[in-house]
PDB file of all heavy atoms in Angstrom:
ATOM      1  N   LYS A  34      -5.372  16.980  -4.432  1.00 96.00           N
ATOM      2  CA  LYS A  34      -5.787  18.369  -4.382  1.00 96.00           C
ATOM      3  C   LYS A  34      -4.507  19.282  -4.531  1.00 96.00           C
ATOM      4  O   LYS A  34      -4.449  20.221  -5.251  1.00 96.00           O
ATOM      5  CB  LYS A  34      -6.511  18.728  -3.060  1.00 96.00           C
ATOM      6  CG  LYS A  34      -6.987  20.216  -3.007  1.00 96.00           C
ATOM      7  CD  LYS A  34      -7.470  20.559  -1.593  1.00 96.00           C
ATOM      8  CE  LYS A  34      -8.493  19.616  -1.061  1.00 96.00           C
ATOM      9  NZ  LYS A  34      -9.006  20.126   0.266  1.00 96.00           N
ATOM     10  N   ARG A  35      -3.467  18.812  -3.837  1.00 95.00           N
ATOM     11  CA  ARG A  35      -2.158  19.538  -3.911  1.00 95.00           C
ATOM     12  C   ARG A  35      -1.631  19.530  -5.287  1.00 95.00           C
ATOM     13  O   ARG A  35      -1.131  20.540  -5.801  1.00 95.00           O
ATOM     14  CB  ARG A  35      -1.172  18.994  -2.875  1.00 95.00           C
ATOM     15  CG  ARG A  35       0.010  19.796  -2.662  1.00 95.00           C
ATOM     16  CD  ARG A  35       0.747  19.266  -1.413  1.00 95.00           C
ATOM     17  NE  ARG A  35       1.793  20.171  -1.066  1.00 95.00           N
ATOM     18  CZ  ARG A  35       2.613  20.059  -0.070  1.00 95.00           C
ATOM     19  NH1 ARG A  35       2.382  18.998   0.752  1.00 95.00           N
ATOM     20  NH2 ARG A  35       3.490  20.904   0.219  1.00 95.00           N
ATOM     21  N   LEU A  36      -1.721  18.364  -5.948  1.00 97.00           N
ATOM     22  CA  LEU A  36      -1.147  18.226  -7.366  1.00 97.00           C
ATOM     23  C   LEU A  36      -2.024  19.038  -8.286  1.00 97.00           C
ATOM     24  O   LEU A  36      -1.476  19.664  -9.238  1.00 97.00           O
ATOM     25  CB  LEU A  36      -1.144  16.760  -7.762  1.00 97.00           C
ATOM     26  CG  LEU A  36       0.012  15.967  -7.153  1.00 97.00           C
ATOM     27  CD1 LEU A  36      -0.147  14.512  -7.512  1.00 97.00           C
ATOM     28  CD2 LEU A  36       1.384  16.536  -7.618  1.00 97.00           C
ATOM     29  N   ARG A  37      -3.325  19.084  -8.028  1.00 97.00           N
ATOM     30  CA  ARG A  37      -4.201  19.928  -8.967  1.00 97.00           C
ATOM     31  C   ARG A  37      -3.864  21.419  -8.792  1.00 97.00           C
ATOM     32  O   ARG A  37      -3.937  22.175  -9.817  1.00 97.00           O
ATOM     33  CB  ARG A  37      -5.631  19.627  -8.618  1.00 97.00           C
ATOM     34  CG  ARG A  37      -6.097  18.341  -9.106  1.00 97.00           C
ATOM     35  CD  ARG A  37      -7.619  18.104  -8.972  1.00 97.00           C
ATOM     36  NE  ARG A  37      -7.950  16.737  -9.239  1.00 97.00           N
ATOM     37  CZ  ARG A  37      -8.195  15.777  -8.340  1.00 97.00           C
ATOM     38  NH1 ARG A  37      -8.199  16.083  -7.031  1.00 97.00           N
ATOM     39  NH2 ARG A  37      -8.478  14.553  -8.741  1.00 97.00           N
ATOM     40  N   ARG A  38      -3.449  21.784  -7.587  1.00 97.00           N
ATOM     41  CA  ARG A  38      -3.037  23.186  -7.423  1.00 97.00           C
ATOM     42  C   ARG A  38      -1.811  23.478  -8.217  1.00 97.00           C
ATOM     43  O   ARG A  38      -1.734  24.597  -8.828  1.00 97.00           O
ATOM     44  CB  ARG A  38      -2.798  23.415  -5.854  1.00 97.00           C
ATOM     45  CG  ARG A  38      -2.965  24.875  -5.474  1.00 97.00           C
ATOM     46  CD  ARG A  38      -2.886  25.044  -3.969  1.00 97.00           C
ATOM     47  NE  ARG A  38      -3.833  24.204  -3.220  1.00 97.00           N
ATOM     48  CZ  ARG A  38      -3.416  23.393  -2.212  1.00 97.00           C
ATOM     49  NH1 ARG A  38      -2.216  23.341  -1.787  1.00 97.00           N
ATOM     50  NH2 ARG A  38      -4.287  22.620  -1.604  1.00 97.00           N
ATOM     51  N   VAL A  39      -0.894  22.585  -8.195  1.00 97.00           N
ATOM     52  CA  VAL A  39       0.324  22.776  -8.985  1.00 97.00           C
ATOM     53  C   VAL A  39      -0.028  22.838 -10.516  1.00 97.00           C
ATOM     54  O   VAL A  39       0.506  23.574 -11.251  1.00 97.00           O
ATOM     55  CB  VAL A  39       1.391  21.667  -8.675  1.00 97.00           C
ATOM     56  CG1 VAL A  39       2.572  21.738  -9.691  1.00 97.00           C
ATOM     57  CG2 VAL A  39       1.901  21.802  -7.248  1.00 97.00           C
ATOM     58  N   GLU A  40      -0.876  21.882 -10.880  1.00 98.00           N
ATOM     59  CA  GLU A  40      -1.320  21.895 -12.286  1.00 98.00           C
ATOM     60  C   GLU A  40      -2.029  23.207 -12.655  1.00 98.00           C
ATOM     61  O   GLU A  40      -1.725  23.724 -13.771  1.00 98.00           O
ATOM     62  CB  GLU A  40      -2.351  20.799 -12.471  1.00 98.00           C
ATOM     63  CG  GLU A  40      -2.910  20.565 -13.878  1.00 98.00           C
ATOM     64  CD  GLU A  40      -3.906  19.522 -14.021  1.00 98.00           C
ATOM     65  OE1 GLU A  40      -4.589  19.162 -12.995  1.00 98.00           O
ATOM     66  OE2 GLU A  40      -4.144  19.026 -15.087  1.00 98.00           O
ATOM     67  N   GLY A  41      -2.744  23.791 -11.757  1.00 98.00           N
ATOM     68  CA  GLY A  41      -3.323  25.114 -12.048  1.00 98.00           C
ATOM     69  C   GLY A  41      -2.297  26.203 -12.162  1.00 98.00           C
ATOM     70  O   GLY A  41      -2.375  27.080 -13.047  1.00 98.00           O
ATOM     71  N   GLN A  42      -1.197  26.051 -11.376  1.00 98.00           N
ATOM     72  CA  GLN A  42      -0.059  27.014 -11.540  1.00 98.00           C
ATOM     73  C   GLN A  42       0.609  26.894 -12.914  1.00 98.00           C
ATOM     74  O   GLN A  42       0.927  27.911 -13.524  1.00 98.00           O
ATOM     75  CB  GLN A  42       0.990  26.800 -10.432  1.00 98.00           C
ATOM     76  CG  GLN A  42       0.495  27.287  -9.072  1.00 98.00           C
ATOM     77  CD  GLN A  42       1.544  26.909  -8.009  1.00 98.00           C
ATOM     78  OE1 GLN A  42       1.780  25.786  -7.655  1.00 98.00           O
ATOM     79  NE2 GLN A  42       2.130  27.950  -7.449  1.00 98.00           N
ATOM     80  N   VAL A  43       0.785  25.668 -13.364  1.00 98.00           N
ATOM     81  CA  VAL A  43       1.394  25.428 -14.744  1.00 98.00           C
ATOM     82  C   VAL A  43       0.452  25.991 -15.762  1.00 98.00           C
ATOM     83  O   VAL A  43       0.911  26.636 -16.715  1.00 98.00           O
ATOM     84  CB  VAL A  43       1.666  23.950 -14.883  1.00 98.00           C
ATOM     85  CG1 VAL A  43       2.126  23.706 -16.375  1.00 98.00           C
ATOM     86  CG2 VAL A  43       2.750  23.479 -13.926  1.00 98.00           C
ATOM     87  N   ARG A  44      -0.860  25.738 -15.664  1.00 98.00           N
ATOM     88  CA  ARG A  44      -1.802  26.308 -16.626  1.00 98.00           C
ATOM     89  C   ARG A  44      -1.736  27.860 -16.625  1.00 98.00           C
ATOM     90  O   ARG A  44      -1.860  28.566 -17.629  1.00 98.00           O
ATOM     91  CB  ARG A  44      -3.269  25.906 -16.394  1.00 98.00           C
ATOM     92  CG  ARG A  44      -3.471  24.511 -17.017  1.00 98.00           C
ATOM     93  CD  ARG A  44      -4.954  24.126 -17.020  1.00 98.00           C
ATOM     94  NE  ARG A  44      -5.200  23.174 -15.943  1.00 98.00           N
ATOM     95  CZ  ARG A  44      -5.794  23.354 -14.810  1.00 98.00           C
ATOM     96  NH1 ARG A  44      -6.318  24.541 -14.461  1.00 98.00           N
ATOM     97  NH2 ARG A  44      -5.821  22.443 -13.835  1.00 98.00           N
ATOM     98  N   GLY A  45      -1.538  28.459 -15.423  1.00 98.00           N
ATOM     99  CA  GLY A  45      -1.331  29.881 -15.300  1.00 98.00           C
ATOM    100  C   GLY A  45      -0.132  30.378 -16.067  1.00 98.00           C
ATOM    101  O   GLY A  45      -0.166  31.445 -16.689  1.00 98.00           O
ATOM    102  N   LEU A  46       0.920  29.593 -15.968  1.00 98.00           N
ATOM    103  CA  LEU A  46       2.118  29.946 -16.696  1.00 98.00           C
ATOM    104  C   LEU A  46       1.851  29.954 -18.233  1.00 98.00           C
ATOM    105  O   LEU A  46       2.320  30.833 -18.958  1.00 98.00           O
ATOM    106  CB  LEU A  46       3.262  28.911 -16.412  1.00 98.00           C
ATOM    107  CG  LEU A  46       3.858  29.083 -15.004  1.00 98.00           C
ATOM    108  CD1 LEU A  46       4.740  27.899 -14.693  1.00 98.00           C
ATOM    109  CD2 LEU A  46       4.724  30.388 -14.972  1.00 98.00           C
ATOM    110  N   GLN A  47       1.068  28.965 -18.663  1.00 98.00           N
ATOM    111  CA  GLN A  47       0.763  28.890 -20.094  1.00 98.00           C
ATOM    112  C   GLN A  47      -0.066  30.169 -20.484  1.00 98.00           C
ATOM    113  O   GLN A  47       0.233  30.763 -21.593  1.00 98.00           O
ATOM    114  CB  GLN A  47      -0.045  27.627 -20.465  1.00 98.00           C
ATOM    115  CG  GLN A  47       0.734  26.347 -20.270  1.00 98.00           C
ATOM    116  CD  GLN A  47      -0.197  25.118 -20.310  1.00 98.00           C
ATOM    117  OE1 GLN A  47      -1.375  25.142 -20.074  1.00 98.00           O
ATOM    118  NE2 GLN A  47       0.449  23.989 -20.617  1.00 98.00           N
ATOM    119  N   ARG A  48      -0.980  30.530 -19.688  1.00 98.00           N
ATOM    120  CA  ARG A  48      -1.800  31.787 -19.979  1.00 98.00           C
ATOM    121  C   ARG A  48      -0.884  32.980 -20.039  1.00 98.00           C
ATOM    122  O   ARG A  48      -1.085  33.855 -20.918  1.00 98.00           O
ATOM    123  CB  ARG A  48      -2.897  31.950 -18.998  1.00 98.00           C
ATOM    124  CG  ARG A  48      -4.125  31.095 -19.228  1.00 98.00           C
ATOM    125  CD  ARG A  48      -5.330  31.512 -18.374  1.00 98.00           C
ATOM    126  NE  ARG A  48      -4.980  31.463 -16.935  1.00 98.00           N
ATOM    127  CZ  ARG A  48      -5.061  30.399 -16.161  1.00 98.00           C
ATOM    128  NH1 ARG A  48      -5.390  29.248 -16.667  1.00 98.00           N
ATOM    129  NH2 ARG A  48      -4.779  30.398 -14.853  1.00 98.00           N
ATOM    130  N   MET A  49       0.082  33.034 -19.095  1.00 98.00           N
ATOM    131  CA  MET A  49       0.960  34.172 -19.052  1.00 98.00           C
ATOM    132  C   MET A  49       1.715  34.297 -20.361  1.00 98.00           C
ATOM    133  O   MET A  49       1.937  35.397 -20.860  1.00 98.00           O
ATOM    134  CB  MET A  49       1.904  34.068 -17.835  1.00 98.00           C
ATOM    135  CG  MET A  49       1.187  34.241 -16.495  1.00 98.00           C
ATOM    136  SD  MET A  49       2.296  34.024 -15.078  1.00 98.00           S
ATOM    137  CE  MET A  49       3.017  35.589 -14.991  1.00 98.00           C
ATOM    138  N   VAL A  50       2.232  33.170 -20.859  1.00 98.00           N
ATOM    139  CA  VAL A  50       2.936  33.147 -22.109  1.00 98.00           C
ATOM    140  C   VAL A  50       2.093  33.605 -23.275  1.00 98.00           C
ATOM    141  O   VAL A  50       2.433  34.383 -24.115  1.00 98.00           O
ATOM    142  CB  VAL A  50       3.622  31.814 -22.331  1.00 98.00           C
ATOM    143  CG1 VAL A  50       4.224  31.719 -23.766  1.00 98.00           C
ATOM    144  CG2 VAL A  50       4.757  31.556 -21.276  1.00 98.00           C
ATOM    145  N   GLU A  51       0.828  33.029 -23.315  1.00 98.00           N
ATOM    146  CA  GLU A  51      -0.108  33.302 -24.307  1.00 98.00           C
ATOM    147  C   GLU A  51      -0.424  34.822 -24.366  1.00 98.00           C
ATOM    148  O   GLU A  51      -0.619  35.441 -25.432  1.00 98.00           O
ATOM    149  CB  GLU A  51      -1.379  32.526 -24.215  1.00 98.00           C
ATOM    150  CG  GLU A  51      -1.247  31.082 -24.478  1.00 98.00           C
ATOM    151  CD  GLU A  51      -2.477  30.201 -24.083  1.00 98.00           C
ATOM    152  OE1 GLU A  51      -3.371  30.793 -23.418  1.00 98.00           O
ATOM    153  OE2 GLU A  51      -2.453  29.052 -24.388  1.00 98.00           O
ATOM    154  N   GLN A  52      -0.459  35.449 -23.168  1.00 98.00           N
ATOM    155  CA  GLN A  52      -0.767  36.826 -23.062  1.00 98.00           C
ATOM    156  C   GLN A  52       0.436  37.790 -23.123  1.00 98.00           C
ATOM    157  O   GLN A  52       0.374  38.967 -22.882  1.00 98.00           O
ATOM    158  CB  GLN A  52      -1.531  37.073 -21.726  1.00 98.00           C
ATOM    159  CG  GLN A  52      -2.837  36.399 -21.670  1.00 98.00           C
ATOM    160  CD  GLN A  52      -3.397  36.392 -20.229  1.00 98.00           C
ATOM    161  OE1 GLN A  52      -2.825  36.861 -19.292  1.00 98.00           O
ATOM    162  NE2 GLN A  52      -4.656  35.842 -20.186  1.00 98.00           N
ATOM    163  N   ASP A  53       1.615  37.182 -23.507  1.00 98.00           N
ATOM    164  CA  ASP A  53       2.852  37.979 -23.598  1.00 98.00           C
ATOM    165  C   ASP A  53       3.236  38.744 -22.320  1.00 98.00           C
ATOM    166  O   ASP A  53       3.612  39.861 -22.371  1.00 98.00           O
ATOM    167  CB  ASP A  53       2.831  38.934 -24.811  1.00 98.00           C
ATOM    168  CG  ASP A  53       2.745  38.202 -26.091  1.00 98.00           C
ATOM    169  OD1 ASP A  53       3.341  37.152 -26.185  1.00 98.00           O
ATOM    170  OD2 ASP A  53       2.007  38.719 -27.058  1.00 98.00           O
ATOM    171  N   THR A  54       3.036  38.088 -21.203  1.00 98.00           N
ATOM    172  CA  THR A  54       3.412  38.658 -19.889  1.00 98.00           C
ATOM    173  C   THR A  54       4.871  38.874 -19.799  1.00 98.00           C
ATOM    174  O   THR A  54       5.695  38.153 -20.387  1.00 98.00           O
ATOM    175  CB  THR A  54       2.867  37.688 -18.784  1.00 98.00           C
ATOM    176  OG1 THR A  54       1.475  37.492 -18.975  1.00 98.00           O
ATOM    177  CG2 THR A  54       3.248  38.259 -17.385  1.00 98.00           C
ATOM    178  N   TYR A  55       5.270  39.929 -19.076  1.00 98.00           N
ATOM    179  CA  TYR A  55       6.657  40.277 -18.839  1.00 98.00           C
ATOM    180  C   TYR A  55       7.448  39.023 -18.288  1.00 98.00           C
ATOM    181  O   TYR A  55       7.004  38.300 -17.437  1.00 98.00           O
ATOM    182  CB  TYR A  55       6.741  41.393 -17.891  1.00 98.00           C
ATOM    183  CG  TYR A  55       8.132  41.983 -17.655  1.00 98.00           C
ATOM    184  CD1 TYR A  55       8.895  42.490 -18.685  1.00 98.00           C
ATOM    185  CD2 TYR A  55       8.628  42.055 -16.318  1.00 98.00           C
ATOM    186  CE1 TYR A  55      10.115  43.023 -18.511  1.00 98.00           C
ATOM    187  CE2 TYR A  55       9.823  42.585 -16.143  1.00 98.00           C
ATOM    188  CZ  TYR A  55      10.629  43.094 -17.161  1.00 98.00           C
ATOM    189  OH  TYR A  55      11.849  43.625 -16.981  1.00 98.00           O
ATOM    190  N   CYS A  56       8.620  38.858 -18.862  1.00 97.00           N
ATOM    191  CA  CYS A  56       9.385  37.632 -18.570  1.00 97.00           C
ATOM    192  C   CYS A  56       9.672  37.476 -17.148  1.00 97.00           C
ATOM    193  O   CYS A  56       9.572  36.347 -16.550  1.00 97.00           O
ATOM    194  CB  CYS A  56      10.787  37.709 -19.307  1.00 97.00           C
ATOM    195  SG  CYS A  56      10.657  37.732 -21.108  1.00 97.00           S
ATOM    196  N   ILE A  57      10.018  38.489 -16.422  1.00 98.00           N
ATOM    197  CA  ILE A  57      10.363  38.424 -15.023  1.00 98.00           C
ATOM    198  C   ILE A  57       9.136  38.003 -14.182  1.00 98.00           C
ATOM    199  O   ILE A  57       9.236  37.164 -13.229  1.00 98.00           O
ATOM    200  CB  ILE A  57      10.892  39.741 -14.471  1.00 98.00           C
ATOM    201  CG1 ILE A  57      12.235  40.096 -15.185  1.00 98.00           C
ATOM    202  CG2 ILE A  57      11.100  39.683 -12.938  1.00 98.00           C
ATOM    203  CD1 ILE A  57      13.284  39.035 -15.008  1.00 98.00           C
ATOM    204  N   ASP A  58       7.933  38.453 -14.569  1.00 98.00           N
ATOM    205  CA  ASP A  58       6.710  38.000 -13.897  1.00 98.00           C
ATOM    206  C   ASP A  58       6.535  36.481 -14.104  1.00 98.00           C
ATOM    207  O   ASP A  58       6.098  35.788 -13.190  1.00 98.00           O
ATOM    208  CB  ASP A  58       5.534  38.796 -14.409  1.00 98.00           C
ATOM    209  CG  ASP A  58       5.656  40.287 -14.035  1.00 98.00           C
ATOM    210  OD1 ASP A  58       6.318  40.560 -13.048  1.00 98.00           O
ATOM    211  OD2 ASP A  58       4.952  41.100 -14.723  1.00 98.00           O
ATOM    212  N   ILE A  59       6.745  36.034 -15.303  1.00 98.00           N
ATOM    213  CA  ILE A  59       6.668  34.595 -15.545  1.00 98.00           C
ATOM    214  C   ILE A  59       7.679  33.785 -14.702  1.00 98.00           C
ATOM    215  O   ILE A  59       7.342  32.771 -14.097  1.00 98.00           O
ATOM    216  CB  ILE A  59       6.773  34.248 -17.059  1.00 98.00           C
ATOM    217  CG1 ILE A  59       5.673  34.927 -17.819  1.00 98.00           C
ATOM    218  CG2 ILE A  59       6.853  32.745 -17.307  1.00 98.00           C
ATOM    219  CD1 ILE A  59       5.852  34.792 -19.368  1.00 98.00           C
TER     220      ILE A  59
END
Side-chain angles (χ1 to χ4, degrees):
K34 186 189 308 183
R35 194 167 187 177
L36 284 173
R37 286 186 189 103
R38 204 172 309 127
V39 172
E40 180 183 22
Q42 288 177 290
V43 172
R44 276 191 257 108
L46 286 166
Q47 292 170 339
R48 278 191 303 277
M49 291 174 84
V50 170
E51 289 169 354
Q52 297 169 355
D53 294 324
T54 302
Y55 185 57
C56 298
I57 297 301
D58 294 337
I59 294 173

